[in-house]
Amino acid sequence: MKLLYTTFVVFIISTVLGSPTASGDDKDKGIAVALDAIATTEGATVDIDTDLDLEDDGASFNTTAELDKRGTKFMISTVGPSLRSDMLKYHNTWRAHHGAPALKWSASLAIAALRSARKCVFAHTKNNKYGENIAAGTYTNPAFYASLWYNEVSKYNFNNPGFSMETGHFTAIVWKNTKQIGCAYVKNCAGGLPNMLFCEYYPAGNVLPASNFRTNVLPGRSSPKNPAQPPANL
């Protein structure tokens, strides 16, 4: 099966500075967050694995933790049950609020995310077979990075649907036709963005033309309500 796609990429980097105080101010000094949005449209062709198991295959690969020496630090990567639980909890609650069906966890997608994340390079996966959201920074809670993706909803114009580099993460999360997700999280990467979250989606969202957004990105509903914002740090 072929997926037709062309990529549009944006880097949104914001820095929040806070000085810890003797009274216990919990703001981290030099916090940085980086996000990257991507859209797909007709263009070049990329092969999709026809043998990809699109059922809930999480049981076959439900946890991993690896230690890789990177300079003087150890990079830690995981796709374990805690990450899986949080990513499904938040993604599916947000999706329900926008009238989209729940996602299932895919071990195949989690492995793909892990292969990319453990490189500790903040960049989209080249020739990716799936949709992808990535984030990086000094915050320690993976769910918080995912909430930054979703919070782009405040900038999305439901009366003029379509892809925007300011809202591409949000639209990927709530894309109605997407059925599966798999994520990986790494810590202690070298440089100013030590923690990275990669999530892969199948089928990919953000598919142009804009008419696809009208049917796949629906306005929020009164019920169910969205969850509270997860804390930035664990």
Side-chain angles (χ1 to χ4, degrees):
M1 180 170 106
K2 300 284 186 179
L3 175 66
L4 303 177
Y5 90 109
T6 300
T7 61
F8 298 84
V9 179
V10 60
F11 292 91
I12 308 171
I13 301 178
S14 62
T15 302
V16 180
L17 299 178
S19 299
T21 66
S23 62
D25 189 335
D26 61 359
K27 291 183 179 179
D28 291 332
K29 186 175 182 180
I31 290 174
V33 178
L35 306 176
D36 188 312
I38 190 167
T40 61
T41 186
E42 291 192 353
T45 61
V46 174
D47 287 323
I48 293 292
D49 288 338
T50 55
D51 60 348
L52 177 66
D53 182 3
L54 293 183
E55 297 302 321
D56 184 3
D57 55 356
S60 64
F61 187 71
N62 60 12
T63 183
T64 185
E66 304 177 22
L67 293 175
D68 289 340
K69 191 170 184 179
R70 302 291 174 94
T72 59
K73 290 186 176 182
F74 284 87
M75 184 273 289
I76 302 173
S77 59
T78 180
V79 296
S82 176
L83 179 69
R84 177 178 61 189
S85 176
D86 281 351
M87 292 299 105
L88 286 175
K89 168 189 172 182
Y90 284 101
H91 275 77
N92 286 338
T93 306
W94 293 324
R95 288 174 63 84
H97 183 65
H98 291 270
L103 300 176
K104 291 184 177 181
W105 187 263
S106 164
S108 300
L109 296 181
I111 293 171
L114 181 62
R115 286 173 179 158
S116 295
R118 67 193 304 272
K119 296 175 183 177
C120 283
V121 176
F122 182 68
H124 271 292
T125 306
K126 293 182 179 179
N127 299 319
N128 198 0
K129 303 172 182 179
Y130 318 115
E132 182 175 74
N133 273 347
I134 66 176
T138 59
Y139 297 113
T140 60
N141 186 0
F144 180 72
Y145 291 108
S147 74
L148 297 181
W149 295 336
Y150 175 79
N151 287 347
E152 294 172 355
V153 61
S154 64
K155 300 178 182 178
Y156 189 76
N157 186 351
F158 290 94
N159 294 319
N160 185 27
F163 177 75
S164 165
M165 292 186 289
E166 292 185 335
T167 59
H169 306 94
F170 158 69
T171 51
I173 285 175
V174 302
W175 196 263
K176 189 174 181 178
N177 192 48
T178 296
K179 295 178 173 60
Q180 289 202 326
I181 186 176
C183 302
Y185 178 67
V186 298
K187 301 186 292 184
N188 297 344
C189 293
L193 301 173
N195 306 318
M196 297 188 183
L197 175 66
F198 279 64
C199 286
E200 311 296 320
Y201 303 86
Y202 185 90
N206 288 348
V207 180
L208 299 173
S211 58
N212 290 329
F213 286 74
R214 188 175 298 278
T215 56
N216 281 282
V217 181
L218 307 179
R221 307 188 297 186
S222 58
S223 178
K225 295 185 180 299
N226 277 328
Q229 176 97 357
N233 297 297
L234 296 174

